Amino acid sequence: MSLSQIFSCGWSASGGAAVSSSPTITGDTAVMLNFTLAGSTTNQEQQIGFDCANVKGVLITVTDNNGTVTLKTNNSGAPDHTKTWASGGGETFWSSRSSETNPFGSTDVTTTFWTNAGSASVTVNVRILVNS
């Protein structure tokens, strides 16, 4: 089964022309994870797995937070990848059309560990489009 997902990003400034891109990326599996991460939580495990060589698109969002949120993959002590969202939240966005490399590199992800250094809960949404 083929899944077509639209990855959209844009830029708009006062007095300037808006610029946007909305390519359709195709894969056959959408790996999704949605959860609330309580404040002052360290290395909360969330099961998710995907083959990095087959990733077509990544979108991870972390809602407004009052402290750093950290993602570690595969191991909480010696992770294969670490991503950090500073106070205020944010997103990681990547597609196979990007000139940058996959944000997870080439090591497959089998599980994730999440830390919220802030005192307030945050919402985490993960979307990984894979073509296996």
Side-chain angles (χ1 to χ4, degrees):
M1 179 174 76
S2 179
L3 297 172
S4 293
Q5 305 292 308
I6 297 174
F7 282 71
S8 180
C9 61
W11 179 281
S12 179
S14 178
V19 177
S20 66
S21 176
S22 299
T24 299
I25 309 295
T26 302
D28 59 22
T29 304
V31 179
M32 297 182 276
L33 178 63
N34 307 300
F35 66 99
T36 299
L37 183 61
S40 303
T41 298
T42 301
N43 292 327
Q44 177 178 314
E45 186 171 359
Q46 292 288 329
Q47 293 295 315
I48 187 171
F50 52 91
D51 181 343
C52 284
N54 297 327
V55 171
K56 303 298 278 184
V58 174
L59 176 62
I60 303 172
T61 63
V62 177
T63 59
D64 190 16
N65 56 317
N66 64 359
T68 300
V69 173
T70 304
L71 157 66
K72 299 174 187 173
T73 63
N74 301 333
N75 186 304
S76 62
D80 289 314
H81 308 94
T82 302
K83 304 285 176 224
T84 302
W85 292 267
S87 182
E91 52 281 323
T92 294
F93 175 88
W94 178 86
S95 82
S96 56
R97 293 172 34 110
S98 174
S99 62
E100 303 300 318
T101 59
N102 176 337
F104 292 103
S106 60
T107 303
D108 296 344
V109 174
T110 57
T111 193
T112 59
F113 298 88
W114 297 82
T115 296
N116 180 358
S119 58
S121 294
V122 299
T123 300
V124 176
N125 295 291
V126 178
R127 300 289 185 273
I128 310 290
L129 182 63
V130 180
N131 190 27
S132 52

